[in-house]
Amino acid sequence: MSDSPWKSKGPPKGPPSRGPQANGPRRPDGPKREHPSRAPSPRDIATAEHQHVREHRELELRLYGVNAVRAAFHRRPDALRKLYLVSERIPQLQPMLRWCVAHRVGYRVVEDEADLQRLASSTHHEGVVADFQRETPQTLTTWLQHVPQGPVCVLWLDGVGNPHNLGAVLRSAAHFGVAAILLPKHSTLSLSGAAARVAEGGAEAVPFIRLGREDNSLAQLRGAGFALAATVVRDGASVFDAQLPQRLVYVLGAEGEGMSQELAAACDLRVSIPGSGKVESLNVAAATAVLLAEWTRKAKAVA
């Protein structure tokens, strides 16, 4: 039996047919003649270009600011893709320029700083902008395989989204030697040029870890000896009086809303930063610096 959708009582007689009507009218559910593809419209082209730009941005990170760019280059020079700078920065960035020449990486000396402002979408470019290949966050399982023994402090960011706050958090985290930044599975938070500039090089010192399911992540962390401390505005023990474990995860909530109640309830302790009461609380970046300073002081006292 023939698999063809064409109805036929036997092999065709005479020369082979040249069109669909040769053996009778085509059935409605039969194969359709393919039409030549039409030329792309301006809208199609714009959509394709937008998709290309979006994919490019997902794969690359545009950094600006001298400390942020130099820190990224120092740690992972192979990730540098393009460099833009004003002539005044040439003496300071000679190692990067020599690398670009030796490895055929494009660079451009920009005459008008307004060009850098457009590239960075910021006036705080400090005379240099660079494109780097974006790093993929590690998984918690992979990261835990390499965590050293002894005192370790980690930050779990539950909804922090402001890039300037993230940058300030990263700067404090790098200063106090935080081992990692933990990001919830569905968090859209990622490193941006603005956050890296505010971090002043700290973004390269603290790895981002992408978590899986919350219950699994909690179990993995506890299995590695970590306790979790929910940082709350009120109803928590004073961080200055609390017994802080040497292997600790500070859980920090979003600006304004705080962390989810479910996550706070799942933590092992709740800590607050007492104050005068003249303001409700510190913002997440300032609070992070206080929390890390206190953990570091107590960890060193025990050691």
Side-chain angles (χ1 to χ4, degrees):
M1 180 179 293
S2 172
D3 292 330
S4 170
W6 294 93
K7 189 173 182 180
S8 176
K9 295 183 179 179
K13 298 178 180 179
S17 62
R18 297 179 178 269
Q21 300 299 326
N23 293 325
R26 187 172 62 192
R27 293 174 58 177
D29 58 347
K32 297 180 180 179
R33 182 189 298 272
E34 294 186 2
H35 297 281
S37 58
R38 62 180 176 84
S41 68
R43 182 175 180 179
D44 293 334
I45 295 173
T47 300
E49 290 178 347
H50 177 75
Q51 176 71 14
H52 174 75
V53 169
R54 188 177 69 177
E55 291 175 353
H56 175 77
R57 287 176 178 171
E58 290 174 352
L59 294 174
E60 292 191 356
L61 173 63
R62 177 156 289 175
L63 299 179
Y64 55 91
V66 175
N67 288 336
V69 170
R70 291 176 70 179
F73 175 73
H74 178 74
R75 190 171 75 84
R76 46 195 186 102
D78 289 336
L80 179 62
R81 293 293 175 264
K82 201 154 190 179
L83 176 66
Y84 309 86
L85 70 163
V86 294
S87 57
E88 291 80 3
R89 290 294 183 192
I90 291 177
Q92 192 175 10
L93 301 175
Q94 275 292 341
M96 294 183 68
L97 292 171
R98 285 196 293 269
W99 173 274
C100 289
V101 172
H103 295 83
R104 298 184 179 181
V105 174
Y107 73 90
R108 177 183 167 197
V109 178
V110 177
E111 300 298 330
D112 188 353
E113 287 200 15
D115 291 336
L116 291 183
Q117 183 175 333
R118 284 190 290 271
L119 286 168
S121 300
S122 172
T123 58
H124 303 293
H125 51 73
E126 300 175 7
V128 59
V129 177
D131 291 336
F132 283 84
Q133 183 177 345
R134 186 180 288 276
E135 285 190 294
T136 302
Q138 300 179 52
T139 64
L140 182 60
T141 300
T142 300
W143 178 76
L144 285 173
Q145 292 172 354
H146 304 285
V147 175
Q149 297 298 315
V152 178
C153 191
V154 180
L155 300 179
W156 179 320
L157 302 187
D158 184 44
V160 176
N162 182 289
H164 294 91
N165 278 342
L166 174 60
V169 166
L170 286 167
R171 186 171 183 174
S172 293
H175 179 78
F176 289 105
V178 164
I181 300 289
L182 308 182
L183 302 177
K185 181 177 181 179
H186 299 296
S187 172
T188 58
L189 185 64
S190 64
L191 185 65
S192 66
R197 186 196 67 80
V198 173
E200 293 287 353
E204 295 297 323
V206 188
F208 283 82
I209 310 301
R210 180 66 65 180
L211 302 176
R213 278 176 40 186
E214 189 172 288
D215 55 346
N216 286 347
S217 298
L218 292 170
Q220 284 183 278
L221 288 165
R222 289 188 174 114
F226 286 94
L228 286 89
T231 58
V232 294
V233 174
R234 59 185 66 85
D235 300 327
S238 167
V239 72
F240 305 117
D241 299 329
Q243 297 261 340
L244 298 179
Q246 293 221 317
R247 293 172 77 81
L248 181 65
V249 179
Y250 275 128
V251 183
L252 302 165
E255 303 91 344
E257 297 84 4
M259 75 187 69
S260 72
Q261 293 299 314
E262 294 80 8
L263 180 56
C267 290
D268 303 294
L269 63 156
R270 297 163 68 94
V271 296
S272 300
I273 301 173
S276 66
K278 294 180 180 179
V279 294
E280 182 181 8
S281 65
L282 297 172
N283 73 13
V284 67
T288 297
V290 174
L291 294 165
L292 292 177
E294 184 60 13
W295 177 85
T296 301
R297 183 184 72 82
K298 290 178 177 176
K300 287 183 176 179
V302 173

